[in-house]
Amino acid sequence: MIITVTMNPAIDKTVELDCFQPGGLNRIRKVEYDAGGKGINVSKTLRELGGESIATGFLGGNAGRTIASVLKAKGIACDFVAVDGETRTNTKVFEASGTVTELNEPGPAIDRRQLEELLGKLEGYAKEDTLFILSGSVPGGVDTGIYAKMIRLAHGKGAKVLLDADGELFRNALSALPDMMKPNRIELEAYAGFTGHADKEELLGLARKFVEQGVGMVTVSMGKDGAVFVSRGYEAECPALPVKAHSTVGAGDAMVAALAYAWDNQLDADDTVRLCMAASAGAVTTIGTKPPEKELVDTLMEQVVITKLG
């Protein structure tokens, strides 16, 4: 069973225009609306791949009801905590050049009672065949140590955790040793305090360190430079697949979904890597935060090149 936790969901509004003019008139060519937030994006991609999940987190107001309705229409089970205030709307301004400007709202503040209700739900789901996906930002009122607390709660019941977070959320969660995690290059550079661009060997070194400390598998996405995969006894790198990119938004979420799907279906390491690379590449071809179609993912899996390391 896979549980995606989205503590700060959003309606993703993607607007397309030729060239964004700050301080000037901008005529929009196209608008797309999606139920979003990183965990929700993972649930959507899992559904497209043929997997199942339960989406949980916090939802509020008309926007929250819209998100729940969209997910249920897609056949995705929901078990959210209702909160006061309005779930946020995140606006992504996509230019013809491929440049994306993101305008993310903070979302409603969460009180202690609501947080405890969510933790109670997670404890109820936690068992040995459960994988929790903790991804994205947290709303106001929630401490940045929350993911570490959730990881320890899950491990106390024998459940597994896949982490996709950044900043203090990522740093604090490491002390609880998630079973899997998918940082990207920028997140690892910030964590390690790099002042410049980290090369592949430096990123590999960080991934290996996490595995030595007890993390089961580390997947580092590197954008146009592909990705590296590190676990005990397995290390590999893959170049990015040559697809016509529309937007990189959602590519990381698709890779997380692939990792979760592979875990749930007990895929071997090579097939896990192929699925991750194909799902991520497929996601960049879509508009907004829509998941890639399974047929495209299946086709792209055949094009993945894996180079073993070590």
Side-chain angles (χ1 to χ4, degrees):
M1 178 169 58
I2 299 172
I3 310 294
T4 64
V5 182
T6 311
M7 299 188 71
N8 211 6
I11 290 181
D12 285 333
K13 179 181 179 181
T14 302
V15 300
E16 296 188 13
L17 42 76
D18 292 326
C19 181
F20 181 60
Q21 301 292 335
L25 175 64
N26 290 274
R27 298 192 182 278
I28 296 172
R29 292 192 283 106
K30 188 175 183 180
V31 180
E32 292 281 341
Y33 291 91
D34 297 301
K38 292 180 71 64
I40 287 173
N41 292 340
V42 171
S43 280
K44 293 190 299 183
T45 303
L46 276 168
R47 183 64 176 170
E48 183 62 34
L49 292 175
E52 295 185 357
S53 65
I54 299 173
T56 189
F58 300 114
L59 288 178
N62 290 329
R65 286 187 285 273
T66 297
I67 289 174
S69 178
V70 168
L71 293 181
K72 290 174 183 177
K74 293 179 179 293
I76 298 171
C78 297
D79 190 11
F80 286 89
V81 174
V83 301
D84 299 328
E86 192 77 17
T87 291
R88 62 190 182 145
T89 295
N90 290 343
T91 303
K92 306 174 192 306
V93 182
F94 180 81
E95 301 177 56
S97 65
T99 300
V100 179
T101 302
E102 298 192 49
L103 305 172
N104 289 356
E105 298 178 9
I110 303 302
D111 63 33
R112 182 176 179 179
R113 177 190 60 79
Q114 293 160 344
L115 182 58
E116 290 300 322
E117 184 178 348
L118 177 60
L119 291 172
K121 287 181 182 292
L122 301 188
E123 187 171 14
Y125 285 120
K127 51 187 176 180
E128 291 186 359
D129 66 346
T130 303
L131 174 66
F132 291 102
I133 297 175
L134 309 180
S135 56
S137 64
V138 297
V142 178
D143 185 84
T144 56
I146 187 61
Y147 283 163
K149 185 173 184 177
M150 289 178 172
I151 292 169
R152 293 188 180 100
L153 182 155
H155 285 172
K157 297 282 189 175
K160 306 296 184 184
V161 177
L162 197 172
L163 175 71
D164 181 19
D166 63 2
E168 288 302 307
L169 283 166
F170 176 76
R171 188 179 301 275
N172 292 337
L174 288 176
S175 64
L177 295 177
D179 301 276
M180 294 180 277
M181 60 188 199
K182 193 222 67 68
N184 62 34
R185 165 180 262 146
I186 295 173
E187 291 162 355
L188 280 189
E189 288 171 344
Y191 166 80
F194 285 108
T195 56
H197 194 61
D199 61 29
K200 183 191 71 177
E201 288 304 318
E202 290 171 317
L203 297 174
L204 268 172
L206 287 170
R208 288 166 178 154
K209 181 180 178 181
F210 295 139
V211 171
E212 289 170 1
Q213 292 172 343
V215 178
M217 181 177 185
V218 180
T219 299
V220 183
S221 54
M222 303 183 297
K224 61 182 179 59
D225 294 324
V228 294
F229 301 80
V230 180
S231 60
R232 290 195 180 278
Y234 185 91
E235 294 187 1
E237 67 171 317
C238 300
L241 292 173
V243 296
K244 184 177 180 181
H246 187 274
S247 169
T248 59
V249 175
D253 301 332
M255 186 172 281
V256 170
L259 286 168
Y261 181 92
W263 175 87
D264 200 36
N265 290 273
Q266 301 180 334
L267 301 187
D268 65 25
D270 283 350
D271 283 344
T272 297
V273 169
R274 291 189 183 94
L275 183 62
C276 285
M277 296 304 299
S280 181
V284 306
T285 69
T286 67
I287 298 173
T289 54
K290 291 179 173 56
E293 294 183 355
K294 187 177 186 303
E295 292 77 10
L296 174 60
V297 174
D298 290 341
T299 298
L300 291 173
M301 283 184 68
E302 301 174 1
Q303 302 174 25
V304 175
V305 176
I306 301 175
T307 300
K308 301 293 178 60
L309 305 172

